[in-house]
Amino acid sequence: MKTFCLELSGPWACFTRPEMKVERVSYDVMTPSAARACFEAILWKPAIRWHIRKIEVLKPIRWINLRRNEVASVVSTRNVETAMKNGRGDLGLNIEDDRQQRAGLFLRDVAYRVHADLEFLPARDPDASAAKYFEMFERRAAKGQCVNQPYLGCREFAANFRLVGDPAAEPPPHDETRDLGFMLHDLDFSKPADPQPRFFRVRLENGVVQVPAWDSVEVRG
């Protein structure tokens, strides 16, 4: 493995608490799964895995209440399968019929420094080496390239990202310490048809959240 660091920032963020059924209410800080998605947006291959190790909060935690229009339904899987089979189909949604207005409690003016390990799985790509993927990620992140735009919890909250070459030379995180309760770590996809959430107890210590390993006793379903 090799550790990389990204600085992620944006004017808005929402790392939705799964226990909230209707309104969107964000966790206080970025979740490991959201951080992993940002790294995968820059580089993902079947032969690599990202493991989030540490999240540094660079700015004070600030909130904003917003009410947004959302679409209540999704395109049905059956319609998508039919369109793929026939080469055409009606996959549109009428916004006027499906519009819902929902309140949300979001984060504003956020910035994080996220440390993650890039693991190479030789069995998935026997002809490659770990160095190939390390160099590929560094090159793409340094140039601002990505497969899809990284986002801060919701796709409409795009994230600016910067590769941090020397984390020790960066300014310290925001000095705040408190218990943040239980947070979603990630989904367990051992049963693809029924992925299950797993959680861990979060403590913000001097602006830093230490993320336990997926297989540690601190992570539970």
Side-chain angles (χ1 to χ4, degrees), residues 99-185:
R99 177 181 290 142
Q100 286 186 346
Q101 198 170 71
R102 294 182 177 178
L105 182 61
F106 305 143
L107 297 167
R108 62 188 179 113
D109 193 22
V110 299
Y112 306 99
R113 232 179 358 251
V114 183
H115 303 254
D117 289 342
L118 176 54
E119 179 188 8
F120 172 58
L121 306 175
R124 298 291 184 90
D125 192 354
D127 298 327
S129 65
K132 166 189 171 181
Y133 291 103
F134 297 161
E135 294 170 1
M136 190 183 301
F137 177 78
E138 287 180 336
R139 182 174 63 254
R140 292 179 62 83
K143 292 182 178 181
Q145 297 175 334
C146 52
V147 179
N148 52 70
Q149 178 63 46
Y151 55 90
L152 299 168
C154 296
R155 288 190 180 274
E156 60 265 41
F157 299 149
N160 302 312
F161 67 91
R162 175 178 70 91
L163 179 65
V164 179
D166 183 11
E170 296 291 316
H174 176 63
D175 188 11
E176 183 175 358
T177 298
R178 58 188 170 103
D179 193 326
L180 300 180
F182 283 95
M183 172 184 283
L184 176 69
H185 189 293

Side-chain angles (χ1 to χ4, degrees), residues 12-13 80-81 85 100 183-184 218:
W12 317 103
V80 173
E81 292 174 347
K85 182 178 180 179
Q100 286 186 346
M183 172 184 283
L184 176 69
E218 299 176 58

Side-chain angles (χ1 to χ4, degrees), residues 5-6 9 16 24 43 47 67-68 78 84 100 104 111 118 122 130-131 135 140-141 149 162 178-179 198 212:
C5 181
L6 283 180
S9 61
T16 308
R24 299 192 184 278
L43 179 65
R67 188 173 292 275
R68 303 183 304 166
R78 181 174 297 177
M84 293 174 64
Q100 286 186 346
L118 176 54
E135 294 170 1
R140 292 179 62 83
Q149 178 63 46
R162 175 178 70 91
R178 58 188 170 103
D179 193 326
R198 299 189 69 186

Side-chain angles (χ1 to χ4, degrees), residues 7-8 56-60 110-113 162 171-174 207:
E7 182 180 301
L8 302 166
E56 297 179 83
V57 180
L58 306 182
K59 293 185 178 181
V110 299
Y112 306 99
R113 232 179 358 251
R162 175 178 70 91
H174 176 63

